[in-house]
Structure formats: structure tokens, C-alpha cells
Amino acid sequence: MAFQKKEKNGGFSVLPRHLGIIMDGNGRWAKKRGLPRTAGHRAGADVFKDISKECGKLGIEQVTFYAFSTENWKRPKEEVDTLMKLFHDFLITARKNIEESDDMKIKFIGERQGLDPELVSLMEEAEIQTAEKPGTLINLAINYGGRQEIVSAVNRLISHGKTKITEQDISDNVYTLPDCDLIIRPSGEHRLSNFLLWQAAYSEFWYSDVLWPDFKKKDLHKALRDFESRNRRFGG
Ligand code: FPP
């Protein structure tokens, strides 16, 4: 069920209750400008901040951003280090501005093992400090893989003694619910790339050729306008 809101919703009659965004195209954006890939990620981080604020203004209940996949460790060390530093710096700034910051809650989804312990403690701090905020829940997927999420849900169930598993059991043990209503992927790629596999069973998809660092509020609005007109039947 999509999320209906009368106020604060930018004039949309229906908004996705859970929106997923695959932030893609940073490398190509940088290459086009003769810059290192890391410059693309820096520009992409600024867009992440703008777009999450806009989602907050629109009153979308939950937005999941794909920031670092379990496969992204294969990238050159300099690129991985830059991404980790961007997450770190974002959290340091968020901590400083916690009082006056927007109403948004922050949560991290993905495997924490393997991440720098200092980063993990900043992540936990941000989750605790924003848990009671009334606004949009921003999930940042870091060291995240959809298959890994399902496998760890199943392993948790097994460790609790379950021998027969239902769909509801898995839903109860994935990182985040509800099901994802809409997935936005910029940069011209039409793939899911191991993102929200469980939650995407009935997702609508919206693609654009715009590279993530060039993605603007108007692109988000275009996607939401399109979503509003979709006829969702959920297999019925
Ligand atoms: C994919 O584009 C993008 C990533 C692997 C990283 C996404 C991360 C950010 C935008 C930074 C987010 C920052 C914060 C603070 C949350 P790509 O590099 O694979 O692009 P390409 O396909 O053009 O090479």
C-alpha cells in the first residue's frame, strides 16, 4: 500500500511509502570532467544530502540509499577509502548539527563486521540520536547486499531453533520493512544490483540517464509523478 498524505507532500496524491535509490554514475560523471572517480563520489555525497532533505520535505516515510555494496570492496583501495571517509565526515557533521538538523531518522543497513570500528560507533550514535525524530527514516545501505541480507535473516532464524521458515519469518528478520514501492536508478543502467532483493518483490522501477551527481530535485519529482500514475496490481 502506498503512502497517502494530504499535507506537506508537494502536491502528490500518492507517495511511495518506501523509496529506494541506487546512486549510480559517479565514476562516469567524474571521467567526463577529467576528474578522479573520487571527485564523483564527493559530488554524489552532496546530492545524497539534497535529495534526502527533499524526501523529508515531501514527507516520504522511508528512503533507502544504496551507498556501498558488499561487492564494492573489490574497487581500488583509494576509492574505497574515499567512500568510507565520506560516510565518516557525513556522520561527524550530522553529530554537530543534531539539534538543528532536520527531523530525519538515520539507520544503517548492511553487515557491520568488516567496517572500521570508529565508523561503526558513529553509525550507532547517529541511529540512537535520531531514533525519536518524527520525520523521514533515511536508511543508508553500507556493506549491504540483498542476498547477504536474506542469508543472515535465515541464519538468525536457524540459530533461534526454527526448522521451517515462512515468508513472514524472513520479513521479520530483514534489515528494513515495509516492501519497497519505488526504486530509482539514474545513469542509464537498468539493473537491481543486489539491492533490496526481498523488499523489491513488487517494486515499481524508474530509470533516468542523468548521472547521480547531476540528479536534481526535479528528477525526483519526475519519478514521483510517474509513480503516482502507475497502476499497481500486486499480482492480482
Ligand atoms: C556507484 O557509481 C556509486 C557508488 C558505488 C557509491 C555511492 C556513494 C555515494 C554517492 C556517496 C554517498 C555519501 C554519503 C555521505 C552517504 P559508480 O561509481 O559505480 O559510477 P560509474 O558506474 O559511473 O562508474
Side-chain angles (χ1 to χ4, degrees):
M1 255 304 242
F3 184 48
Q4 307 253 7
K5 239 176 171 238
K6 290 214 166 56
E7 300 149 19
K8 194 185 141 173
N9 69 352
F12 295 99
S13 58
V14 180
L15 284 169
R17 189 170 166 207
H18 183 183
L19 169 66
I21 302 186
I22 301 178
M23 303 186 282
D24 196 12
N26 299 344
R28 278 163 284 164
W29 181 91
K31 195 172 174 203
K32 266 176 42 183
R33 286 162 179 76
L35 297 169
R37 294 177 59 79
T38 48
H41 294 315
R42 273 191 206 99
D46 290 338
V47 175
F48 155 74
K49 288 171 212 158
D50 290 348
I51 296 298
S52 48
K53 267 201 187 119
E54 182 63 12
C55 291
K57 271 196 201 148
L58 292 171
I60 297 175
E61 194 175 310
Q62 182 170 174
V63 190
T64 301
F65 288 89
Y66 205 6
F68 192 90
S69 75
T70 43
E71 289 73 37
N72 287 152
W73 294 107
K74 292 182 216 146
R75 296 195 176 201
K77 184 175 182 311
E78 190 203 350
E79 187 173 345
V80 170
D81 288 349
T82 299
L83 284 164
M84 294 300 152
K85 181 145 177 22
L86 283 171
F87 305 145
H88 176 274
D89 293 353
F90 163 68
L91 286 168
I92 295 283
T93 310
R95 176 163 69 178
K96 277 195 209 128
N97 301 333
I98 204 81
E99 293 307 327
E100 72 264 31
S101 74
D102 312 288
D103 289 338
M104 292 183 283
K105 295 180 265 292
I106 302 175
K107 206 176 113 181
F108 293 87
I109 65 168
E111 185 57 68
R112 295 190 186 193
Q113 211 170 1
L115 295 174
D116 179 60
E118 193 199 333
L119 179 64
V120 173
S121 90
L122 285 168
M123 285 159 56
E124 287 168 357
E125 199 182 318
E127 287 180 334
I128 293 166
Q129 284 184 327
T130 62
E132 302 302 322
K133 297 251 183 191
T136 298
L137 167 62
I138 301 291
N139 293 312
L140 256 175
I142 295 182
N143 199 17
Y144 172 89
R147 288 183 174 174
Q148 165 260 317
E149 176 177 33
I150 295 168
V151 168
S152 72
V154 172
N155 278 329
R156 195 165 321 122
L157 289 159
I158 292 171
S159 73
H160 290 155
K162 277 264 178 190
T163 51
K164 198 159 182 282
I165 290 166
T166 63
E167 286 191 12
Q168 190 59 48
D169 288 329
I170 297 190
S171 288
D172 290 343
N173 281 276
V174 287
Y175 294 121
T176 193
L177 279 180
D179 277 0
C180 191
D181 298 300
L182 172 67
I183 293 180
I184 293 178
R185 182 161 194 163
S187 94
E189 308 290 356
H190 296 195
R191 289 190 286 277
L192 190 52
S193 299
N194 205 11
F195 183 53
L196 295 180
L197 293 186
W198 186 259
Q199 299 85 344
Y202 283 99
S203 289
E204 300 290 324
F205 288 85
W206 190 84
Y207 303 108
S208 152
D209 288 337
V210 172
L211 302 173
W212 177 250
D214 287 329
F215 195 88
K216 302 275 184 305
K217 282 187 231 169
K218 70 171 169 45
D219 299 304
L220 173 69
H221 290 193
K222 237 192 253 177
L224 295 174
R225 200 54 80 197
D226 190 342
F227 174 76
E228 194 180 41
S229 69
R230 304 268 177 109
N231 174 19
R232 302 182 76 202
R233 292 185 302 277
F234 300 94

